[in-house]
């Protein structure tokens, strides 16, 4: 790393979309973020507030209307070799087997299909996909599909993972299993993760810091530091601090039930 | 496909076919009673069987024309649909011409082709290509364009070039569309060859039918029609087999419209 303390920095990001016959639709209204190498950061906000829009900018797919993104210290413009993006839909390609879906990112980078398969195969056990290398996505359950999409994201070997509501479409039991699994994977692999979610429990359980967005146009309502002990396990849900941080996020989202005098919210 | 499912698909059309043939037999035998106007199915079959050598000799060239013309059509449709996918200018320039090509009546243009390109293989091949080209190219172009925008963005986030995204996302995604187009177009293929032969040829089912009509062998005209129909159905059915081979993942996709 050459960029000092932060792997990802966003400064005063503004994004807006043109509308016919009206003022442009402002979606991001001055967003600041800073993510250290190895940190797990989460973004939570009402749906439609602009979270995916932010990811599209960080992934280099769209240009912001204002502000800048630095990745590893360098101003990011366009496609970036350091960012691996898992979009909101799982987007596994039905015509590729799971191993070939996982290998897609490497193939695109010029690795032969054979070599790419060799490189992704050791990851299958960790992702609970052993024995499904040659299955098609249509043969997998929702949770397995999400893990396969995550495997593809990780397999690219890029330092920053952008995960856009990876578990949003799963039932609540599967989602909890996936959260526990992801916490364990993060612990072992030391990924740098920026996760978008609309699930407060998920954000608090997984993240070191939670950015709370206001409704559109998104500003930072709060940045909440979660210093729950690591590794996080099923026991983590029972800790008093877990409930306290949940309350805090709820409060920052403008929802009721924050106890007075327990705020550790930092001004963004 | 299991034997059971095969039977389940086959018995309804077979039943209808048997009913039609039976009706034909009754009408020919008791109402028309003139083999020069409408021969009985049994007469068609026995005449066809006796003339099987001639029929076969004329079927082979028709098949050859069909295959060559269809190969040309296949190559052209991929080429042009790809060009249209990469360039908006190409799309705007070519698409109206494609539509126009489809409205050209093959039967009217066939003699012209023979005059210009001679009595050999070339005019037949070109007519088959003309008759089958549009459904293929249109289906492919539509299939390419139907690629999921988010999937394209994912590829872009991986650093894929436009060509890589085309090969890895747009082409496989277009294959189901392609096979739909293939089924439409393949039913025109043999017809195109037969029309071309009608306009002038040495051998082929088209010219054979014309000759038999000239010597009032209506039973053999019908026999040739039966051969054409059977070949067309076989070609059509073979597209399903090919589709299963080329797109093996489709049996795992949730079926549309069945929830
Ligand atoms: N390319 C676009 N053009 C116009 N409007 C857009 C575009 N992308 C997103 N939007 C709008 O921006 C808002 C935020 O969208 P998004 O970032 O997807 O929200 P979310 O926080 O749910 O991920 C929505 O109102 C959406 O309609
Ligand atoms: Mg979103």
């Amino acid at each position: 790393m050459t960029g000092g303390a932060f792997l990802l920095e966003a400064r005063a990001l503004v994004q807006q979309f043109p509308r016919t016959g009206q003022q442009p639709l402002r979606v991001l209204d001055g967003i600041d973020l800073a993510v250290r190498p190895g940190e797990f950061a989460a973004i939570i906000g009402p749906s439609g507030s602009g979270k995916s829009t932010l990811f599209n900018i960080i992934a280099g797919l769209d240009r912001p209307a204002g502000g800048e993104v630095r990745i590893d210290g360098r101003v990011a413009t366009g496609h970036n070799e350091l960012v691996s993006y898992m979009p909101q839909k799982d987007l596994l390609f039905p015509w590729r087997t799971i191993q070939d879906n996982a290998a897609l990112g490497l193939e695109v980078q010029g690795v032969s299909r054979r070599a790419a398969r060799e490189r992704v195969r050791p990851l299958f056990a960790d992702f609970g996909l052993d024995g499904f290398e040659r299955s098609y996505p249509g043969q997998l359950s929702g949770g397995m599909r999400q893990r396969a999409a995550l495997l593809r994201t990780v397999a690219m070997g890029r330092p920053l993972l952008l995960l856009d509501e990876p578990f949003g479409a799963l039932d609540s039991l599967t989602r909890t299993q996936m959260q526990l699994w992801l916490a364990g994977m993060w612990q072992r692999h030391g990924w740098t993760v920026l996760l978008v979610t609309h699930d407060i429990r998920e954000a608090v359980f997984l993240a070191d810091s939670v950015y709370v967005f206001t409704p559109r146009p998104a500003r930072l309502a709060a940045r909440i530091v979660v210093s729950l002990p690591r590794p996080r396990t099923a026991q983590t849900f029972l800790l008093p601090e877990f409930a306290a941080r949940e309350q805090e996020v709820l409060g920052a989202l403008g929802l009721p039930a924050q106890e007075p005098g327990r705020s550790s919210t930092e001004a963004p | 496909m299991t034997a059971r499912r095969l039977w389940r698909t086959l018995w309804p059309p077979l039943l209808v076919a048997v009913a039609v043939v039976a009706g034909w037999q009754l009408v020919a035998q008791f109402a028309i009673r003139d083999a020069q106007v409408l021969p009985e199915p049994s007469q068609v079959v026995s005449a066809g069987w006796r003339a099987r050598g001639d029929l076969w000799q004329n079927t082979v060239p028709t098949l050859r024309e069909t295959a060559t013309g269809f190969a040309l059509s296949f190559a052209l449709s991929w080429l042009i649909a790809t060009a249209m996918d990469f360039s908006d200018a190409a799309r705007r320039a070519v698409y109206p011409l494609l539509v126009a090509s489809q409205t050209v009546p093959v039967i009217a243009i066939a003699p012209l082709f023979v005059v210009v390109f001679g009595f050999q293989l070339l005019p037949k091949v070109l007519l088959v290509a003309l008759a089958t080209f549009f459904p293929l190219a249109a289906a492919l172009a539509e299939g390419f364009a139907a690629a999921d925008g988010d999937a394209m963005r994912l590829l872009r986030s991986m650093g894929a070039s436009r060509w890589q995204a085309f090969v890895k996302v747009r082409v496989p995604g277009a294959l189901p569309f392609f096979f739909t187009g293939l089924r439409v177009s393949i039913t025109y293929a043999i017809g195109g060859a037969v029309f071309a032969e009608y306009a002038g040829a040495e051998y082929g089912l088209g010219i054979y039918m014309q000759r038999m009509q000239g010597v009032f062998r209506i039973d053999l005209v019908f026999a040739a029609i039966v051969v054409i129909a059977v070949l067309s159905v076989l070609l059509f059915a073979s597209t399903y087999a090919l589709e299963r081979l080329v797109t093996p993942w489709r049996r795992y996709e949730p079926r549309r419209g069945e929830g």
Side-chain angles (χ1 to χ4, degrees):
Chain A
M1 298 292 141
T2 59
F6 297 111
L7 181 56
L8 168 70
E9 280 177 279
R11 293 234 175 284
L13 276 187
V14 173
Q15 184 64 304
Q16 53 194 21
F17 296 109
R19 281 187 294 189
T20 42
Q22 285 178 73
Q23 292 282 308
L25 178 74
R26 181 158 286 220
V27 177
L28 301 178
D29 198 17
I31 296 290
D32 295 298
L33 294 173
V35 181
R36 288 177 211 288
E39 182 178 345
F40 199 125
I43 296 172
I44 191 162
S47 94
S49 59
K51 306 180 296 293
S52 298
T53 302
L54 173 69
F55 268 19
N56 283 329
I57 295 171
I58 298 174
L61 296 170
D62 292 331
R63 286 173 168 281
E68 68 174 25
V69 173
R70 283 173 181 270
I71 293 167
D72 200 20
R74 277 185 295 273
V75 177
T77 50
H79 165 69
N80 198 290
E81 299 278 317
L82 301 177
V83 179
S84 189
Y85 180 26
M86 175 171 166
Q88 196 163 346
K89 300 189 225 164
D90 71 30
L91 284 178
L92 293 173
F93 295 106
W95 49 82
R96 287 181 162 246
T97 59
I98 298 302
Q99 65 180 354
D100 288 346
N101 265 290
L104 178 64
L106 294 171
E107 268 180 54
V108 162
Q109 284 162 20
V111 182
S112 76
R113 182 174 289 201
R114 199 146 160 214
R117 279 180 186 163
E118 291 299 319
R119 271 168 63 181
V120 299
R121 204 165 289 146
L123 295 169
F124 272 71
D126 253 5
F127 281 74
L129 292 167
D130 240 354
F132 290 90
E133 289 85 349
R134 285 156 204 271
S135 302
Y136 287 103
Q139 296 171 280
L140 266 56
S141 70
M144 293 172 84
R145 291 170 62 98
Q146 279 326 98
R147 285 199 298 265
L150 193 56
L151 199 164
R152 173 175 65 194
T153 314
V154 167
M156 296 188 67
R158 296 176 170 184
L160 177 62
L161 306 182
L162 303 179
L163 312 180
D164 194 350
E165 299 192 18
F167 312 138
L170 302 178
D171 65 88
S172 128
L173 179 61
T174 311
R175 193 185 315 160
T176 306
Q177 284 169 349
M178 295 291 287
Q179 290 160 357
L180 290 164
W181 170 81
L182 183 58
M185 290 293 281
W186 178 86
Q187 198 74 38
R188 266 195 286 162
H189 293 269
W191 299 326
T192 310
V193 180
L194 186 57
L195 168 94
V196 159
T197 177
H198 50 220
D199 180 340
I200 298 173
R201 265 167 57 96
E202 180 169 297
V204 172
F205 175 68
L206 288 169
D208 301 307
S209 47
V210 179
Y211 293 87
V212 182
F213 279 19
T214 64
R216 196 185 63 223
R219 290 189 208 95
L220 279 191
R223 172 172 177 263
I224 292 162
V225 175
V226 183
S227 43
L228 288 165
R230 300 271 184 189
R232 303 211 179 140
T233 63
Q235 308 305 314
T236 307
F237 292 115
L238 307 173
L239 298 173
E241 194 193 337
F242 182 80
R245 293 292 86 78
E246 257 189 325
Q247 290 298 312
E248 209 177 327
V249 174
L250 266 174
L253 285 166
L255 299 160
Q258 188 177 14
E259 287 173 53
R262 292 199 55 180
S263 173
S264 62
T265 307
E266 293 172 19
Chain B
M1 207 182 284
T2 62
R4 234 188 113 121
R5 272 188 54 202
L6 192 68
W7 175 240
R8 268 205 0 216
T9 345
L10 282 186
W11 77 258
L14 278 178
L15 191 69
V16 175
V18 166
V20 168
V21 171
W24 171 8
Q25 176 77 37
L26 290 177
V27 169
Q29 195 174 347
F30 298 109
I32 295 184
R33 289 193 288 182
D34 181 354
Q36 293 310 320
V37 178
L38 182 69
E40 295 166 26
S42 52
Q43 292 169 335
V44 170
V45 170
S46 57
W49 179 250
R50 266 178 270 118
R52 61 187 178 277
D54 276 358
L55 275 171
W56 177 245
Q57 195 183 16
N58 286 287
T59 299
V60 172
T62 303
L63 278 180
R64 189 182 306 130
E65 292 151 16
T66 305
T68 317
F70 206 75
L72 177 66
S73 168
F74 175 87
L76 271 181
S77 64
W78 276 88
L79 219 78
I80 290 191
T82 304
M84 289 201 302
D85 195 55
F86 273 82
S87 150
D88 222 34
R91 170 183 294 270
R92 280 197 305 269
V94 173
Y95 211 89
L97 298 183
L98 287 189
V99 177
S101 84
Q102 183 65 1
T103 62
V104 173
V106 171
I107 195 164
I109 205 170
L112 197 71
F113 269 41
V114 171
V115 169
V116 177
F117 300 110
F119 286 82
Q120 301 305 311
L121 192 62
L122 187 60
K124 286 103 186 171
V125 166
L126 290 179
L127 266 181
V128 171
L130 182 70
T132 58
F133 173 76
F134 179 76
L136 277 186
L140 267 180
E142 196 191 334
F144 293 153
D148 184 358
D150 290 327
M152 294 300 285
R153 292 167 73 80
L154 173 68
L155 267 278
R156 214 147 54 79
S157 85
M158 292 173 165
S161 65
R162 177 81 177 78
W163 177 252
Q164 280 179 316
F166 179 75
V167 170
K168 290 181 193 302
V169 176
R170 294 171 94 81
V171 168
L175 287 178
F177 291 78
F178 171 75
F179 279 102
T180 306
L182 182 66
R183 278 191 271 280
V184 175
S185 105
I186 209 147
T187 56
Y188 300 144
I190 296 186
V194 169
F195 273 132
E197 292 162 355
Y198 238 91
E202 278 182 64
Y203 288 105
L205 288 170
I207 197 70
Y208 180 76
M209 282 161 70
Q210 211 182 35
R211 285 205 193 107
M212 292 307 108
Q213 200 151 21
V215 295
F216 303 106
R217 289 300 304 272
I218 306 304
D219 49 354
L220 286 176
V221 174
F222 272 93
I225 292 175
V226 170
V227 170
I228 291 170
V230 168
L231 287 177
S232 290
V233 168
L234 284 181
L235 275 181
F236 186 80
S238 69
T239 65
Y240 284 97
L242 190 67
E243 185 175 21
R244 286 173 72 81
L245 211 75
V246 175
T247 60
W249 66 87
R250 293 206 73 205
R251 73 192 74 170
Y252 306 115
E253 283 185 336
R255 290 215 202 141
R256 272 168 264 273
E258 287 183 20

